[in-house]
Amino acid sequence: MELLTRLLEMVGFVIGVPVGLLIGYLLFLHPQCFDVKKGPVVRPLHELDTSSLLELWPEVPLWVKHPDCERSDWMNKFISHMWPYLHTAICNMIRSTVEPLFAEYIGKYQIKSLYLENLTLGTQPPYFHGIKVHESNGNELVLEPAVRWAGNPDISLVLKISFFRIRLQLVDVQVFAIPRIILKPLVPIIPCFESIAVSLLEKVYAIDFGLNIMKVDVMSIPGLYQYIQDIIRKQVASFYHWPQTVDIQILDSSVGATKKPVGILHVKVMRAVKLLKMDILGASDPYVIVSLSGERIPARRTSVKMKTLNPEWNENFKLTVKDLQSQVLELHVYDWEKIGPHDKLGMQVVPLGILTPHSAKEFTLDLLENQNPNDPHNKKARGKLIVELKFVPFREEHRRFSGPLDTHVRNQSGTPSISEDESFSGPGLLVVTVVGAQDVVGKNHNNPYAVILFRGERRRSKVIKRTQDPCWNEEFQFMLDEAPLTEFIRVEVMSKQRRFGFLSKESLGYTDIQLVNVVHNVHINEKFNLINSRNGTVHVDVRWRV
C-alpha cells in the first residue's frame, strides 16, 4: 500500500508540473507577448483630449505651434559639431571672468581660498526648438530662439574659511527659455554688429538643477527646492525681463562711432488718448520712454500722469541723429507701478527718413504690442499717441540735406563757410570722447574709469580692471543753448575697488580743458597731462557741432 502511494505521488508530480507551467503561461505570459506584438497606439493630435495635449505641449517644437517660427535643425547640427570647442571656449571665458573676482575676497571675511575646482558643461549642447526673426525698421536685427538645455555639467566651487573646507557642486541643469536677442547697431565691419542685447520677454519656463554641499544633496530637503526655484525666477525676472537687457560688447565702441552726428531731432510728446485700463479702478499711470535706435545713450522719459487714460505731457526732448535714413524714433508707453515691473501699454516707431529738415510735423500714432505684423495681439486697440517731430541738421551738414544756408558766406573756392559771429554763438552739441589713459597708478588699486564734469553734470565711463593703461573709447554728449566760450570741462581718472571699504575710490589725476579753444577750432584731439599724477596722461577728443 505504501508503495502504491509513492507511485501515485510521482505520477502526480510528473503530470502536475507541466500542466501548471502550461496554465501559468496561458494566463500571464501569453497575453503580455500578444500585447507587445500589437505595438503602441498611434493617434493624430486632433483625436487627443485636452489633458493629453497639455502634457505634450511643452515637448512640441516652437515651429509647430507658431507658423511664423523657423525650423532650426541646421543650427542644432552646427552646435552639436562645434560643442567640444564651444564648451572649452565658454569655460575659459567663465574662468577668466570669475577668478579675478574671487581673488579680491581672499583675505577678507576669514576666507583663505576660493576657487573653481571643476568646471565642465558636460557633453549635451543646448537644443533650439525654433527661432523667430522679426522685421525691424531700425539699424538692428531681432531674434527670438526657443532654447532648451538639459545638460550634465559639473561645476565645483571650493571655499576655505579658517579650518573649514566647503565644496559646492552644481549638477544636472535643465533650462527652457525664449530670450530676445538684438544685434545692434549694424556696421559695415565683420561681424557686422557692434553689440548684443539679451532680454527675456516672458518668464523662464523651467529651471532645474542639483546642488550638493559637502556631498549632501540640499535640493532633497523638503520645501527648500521650491523656495530656491522661486528665488531664482524672481531674480531672473527683476534683472533680465524686458526692458532690462544684458549688453555684450562685440566690437570696440569706436567702431560703432564711424558716423558722426548730423543733426538734432526735436521731439515733443504732446498727449495720448484712449489708453488701456491697467489699474483696478479703471485707469492707468502712463509715461513715455523716448529713444533712437542704434544709440547707447540712455533713453529719455516723460513725467508720470496719475489716474488717467488721456494724459497730456507737452514735454520736449532733443536727441542726436547720426543717420537720418536708417535710424528710427522708438516710443514706448508704460503704466507706472509702485511695486513690481511696469506694465507695457503699447509702442510705436517713426522712421526719421520721412522727416523734412527744419519742418515740424505732427504724428498721430496707433499704439501696438510690438512690431510683428503677424502678432494677433496687435489687433487689440491700445490707444493713440500724438507727438511732434522736427529735424534740424548741423550747419556743416545743411548743404547735404537742403543746400547752403543764406547766412553762409562763400570763400574764393566757392564752398560755404560759417561767419565768425555764427561760429561763436547759438546752440550746439558738445561731443566729448574719452579715448584712454596711460600710466595712471593708484596707491591702493588700479581699476580706472573716467569721469566727465560739466555744468554740474557728472558722466562716467566703464571700469577697466587691473590696468595702468585703460582704453575706453566712450562718447558723451552735451546739448547746449549757446557756445561755451568762457567755460571748461574737467576730465578725471578715478579707480574703484571691487568691494566695500574705506578706500573704495581714489583719484588718479585730472585735467581741465578750456572750451574756448574747442569752439574756435571746432575740434581738438590731444593727450593731456594729469594733475596730481606723476606721469599719467589722458587722451580726449572734443568736438563742437553748431
Side-chain angles (χ1 to χ4, degrees):
M1 191 68 180
E2 184 179 357
L3 180 61
L4 180 61
T5 302
R6 298 266 184 191
L7 182 61
L8 291 176
E9 288 178 358
M10 294 179 60
V11 172
F13 178 80
V14 173
I15 298 176
V17 171
V19 173
L21 293 176
L22 178 61
I23 295 174
Y25 170 77
L26 295 176
L27 291 178
F28 300 102
L29 298 180
H30 182 68
Q32 294 182 7
C33 296
F34 180 75
D35 292 339
V36 173
K37 291 179 180 178
K38 289 195 302 183
V41 179
V42 179
R43 297 167 60 189
L45 288 177
H46 65 269
E47 293 183 3
L48 297 177
D49 56 5
T50 303
S51 60
S52 299
L53 284 174
L54 291 177
E55 291 178 0
L56 292 174
W57 190 252
E59 305 300 329
V60 176
L62 194 65
W63 57 268
V64 177
K65 305 175 188 178
H66 303 285
D68 58 339
C69 184
E70 303 291 340
R71 299 185 64 171
S72 53
D73 297 338
W74 63 271
M75 183 179 294
N76 293 320
K77 292 181 180 179
F78 172 79
I79 294 180
S80 177
H81 289 292
M82 289 290 296
W83 182 243
Y85 308 96
L86 289 172
H87 167 266
T88 303
I90 294 173
C91 290
N92 291 337
M93 183 177 64
I94 293 175
R95 283 189 180 274
S96 62
T97 302
V98 301
E99 286 180 353
L101 300 178
F102 291 166
E104 295 182 2
Y105 289 94
I106 297 177
K108 303 294 182 180
Y109 311 108
Q110 297 184 352
I111 298 177
K112 291 186 176 181
S113 64
L114 178 64
Y115 60 93
L116 287 170
E117 185 179 48
N118 295 323
L119 177 57
T120 173
L121 300 182
T123 58
Q124 298 297 326
Y127 184 84
F128 290 82
H129 284 247
I131 185 170
K132 290 183 181 180
V133 180
H134 291 281
E135 296 182 3
S136 175
N137 296 324
N139 192 24
E140 62 186 25
L141 180 63
V142 181
L143 308 174
E144 290 182 9
V147 185
R148 181 187 296 274
W149 184 41
N152 53 345
D154 183 8
I155 303 175
S156 300
L157 179 67
V158 176
L159 174 65
K160 290 184 178 180
I161 302 178
S162 297
F163 300 101
F164 298 97
R165 183 179 185 272
I166 303 175
R167 184 174 184 269
L168 293 84
Q169 184 181 25
L170 182 67
V171 295
D172 298 332
V173 177
Q174 297 185 31
V175 179
F176 177 54
I178 303 179
R180 166 167 284 189
I181 302 174
I182 304 177
L183 310 179
K184 65 175 185 179
L186 303 180
V187 295
I189 299 176
I190 299 297
C192 297
F193 55 90
E194 183 180 334
S195 64
I196 301 176
V198 182
S199 61
L200 294 173
L201 297 181
E202 301 179 7
K203 66 179 182 179
V204 179
Y205 292 102
I207 300 178
D208 194 9
F209 57 90
L211 181 62
N212 299 329
I213 300 180
M214 305 292 292
K215 297 183 179 181
V216 177
D217 185 9
V218 298
M219 303 303 287
S220 61
I221 300 176
L224 183 62
Y225 175 80
Q226 188 62 40
Y227 177 74
I228 295 179
Q229 292 279 348
D230 294 339
I231 290 179
I232 293 177
R233 287 191 174 92
K234 289 180 181 179
Q235 291 298 320
V236 170
S238 61
F239 287 103
Y240 303 113
H241 273 198
W242 193 88
Q244 290 93 346
T245 60
V246 178
D247 296 322
I248 304 173
Q249 196 72 19
I250 302 300
L251 294 177
D252 190 272
S253 58
S254 61
V255 175
T258 54
K259 293 185 178 180
K260 61 181 181 179
V262 297
I264 302 297
L265 178 67
H266 296 259
V267 181
K268 183 178 182 180
V269 182
M270 302 173 67
R271 61 187 181 276
V273 294
K274 297 181 179 180
L275 295 177
L276 290 177
K277 301 178 182 180
M278 303 301 292
D279 293 344
I280 299 177
L281 300 178
S284 295
D285 306 322
Y287 67 92
V288 183
I289 291 181
V290 182
S291 62
L292 280 177
S293 63
E295 288 291 338
R296 292 186 301 277
I297 299 175
R300 311 294 177 85
R301 202 189 88 164
T302 66
S303 59
V304 179
K305 301 299 179 181
M306 306 299 291
K307 307 301 180 183
T308 178
L309 301 179
N310 300 285
E312 290 192 13
W313 291 284
N314 292 317
E315 298 182 17
N316 298 289
F317 304 93
K318 296 178 182 179
L319 305 177
T320 305
V321 179
K322 291 186 177 181
D323 193 333
L324 190 65
Q325 299 303 319
S326 65
Q327 285 187 292
V328 298
L329 175 67
E330 299 179 358
L331 301 160
H332 297 264
V333 186
Y334 288 93
D335 175 35
W336 180 83
E337 297 291 344
K338 187 175 182 179
I339 300 176
H342 298 180
D343 296 324
K344 181 179 179 181
L345 298 178
M347 61 88 62
Q348 191 54 273
V349 298
V350 180
L352 302 188
I354 65 177
L355 300 178
T356 302
H358 299 286
S359 178
K361 186 176 181 180
E362 184 176 307
F363 293 86
T364 301
L365 307 173
D366 293 321
L367 295 176
L368 304 174
E369 169 70 17
N370 52 54
Q371 287 299 300
N372 183 8
N374 299 321
D375 193 336
H377 294 92
N378 286 329
K379 297 180 181 180
K380 181 178 180 180
R382 296 177 173 271
K384 298 179 182 295
L385 180 66
I386 296 92
V387 297
E388 183 182 270
L389 307 180
K390 181 181 179 182
F391 172 68
V392 180
F394 294 125
R395 283 200 177 109
E396 58 267 37
E397 300 288 342
H398 190 277
R399 186 179 183 185
R400 169 183 169 188
F401 294 102
S402 58
L405 293 171
D406 295 337
T407 55
H408 285 183
V409 180
R410 291 186 173 272
N411 55 23
Q412 294 180 356
S413 63
T415 58
S417 61
I418 303 174
S419 64
E420 184 175 353
D421 293 338
E422 292 172 340
S423 300
F424 303 154
S425 64
L429 179 70
L430 183 67
V431 183
V432 181
T433 303
V434 183
V435 182
Q438 292 79 36
D439 298 326
V440 286
V441 182
K443 295 180 180 180
N444 301 291
H445 41 74
N446 265 64
N447 303 311
Y449 63 96
V451 176
I452 310 298
L453 300 173
F454 180 64
R455 290 188 175 181
E457 191 173 355
R458 187 177 186 272
R459 308 276 187 88
R460 54 163 291 177
S461 71
K462 60 188 176 184
V463 178
I464 307 297
K465 295 183 293 185
R466 290 182 172 80
T467 180
Q468 298 180 8
D469 303 306
C471 181
W472 296 293
N473 279 321
E474 293 194 35
E475 180 182 288
F476 305 92
Q477 300 177 358
F478 300 89
M479 204 81 63
L480 307 179
D481 294 329
E482 58 183 9
L485 293 173
T486 61
E487 299 178 82
F488 67 90
I489 190 169
R490 172 166 292 188
V491 180
E492 185 173 8
V493 180
M494 301 285 294
S495 178
K496 180 179 180 181
Q497 196 172 10
R498 300 296 294 179
R499 58 181 179 269
F500 295 103
F502 294 103
L503 301 176
S504 61
K505 295 181 181 179
E506 65 174 307
S507 176
L508 306 183
Y510 69 93
T511 184
D512 293 330
I513 303 174
Q514 297 293 332
L515 296 179
V516 62
N517 297 327
V518 180
V519 175
H520 281 281
N521 299 313
V522 181
H523 174 216
I524 62 171
N525 188 336
E526 298 180 10
K527 290 184 177 181
F528 300 89
N529 294 321
L530 292 173
I531 301 174
N532 295 337
S533 176
R534 179 178 298 179
N535 299 312
T537 60
V538 62
H539 185 187
V540 184
D541 181 289
V542 188
R543 299 172 185 265
W544 172 243
R545 310 297 304 279
V546 296

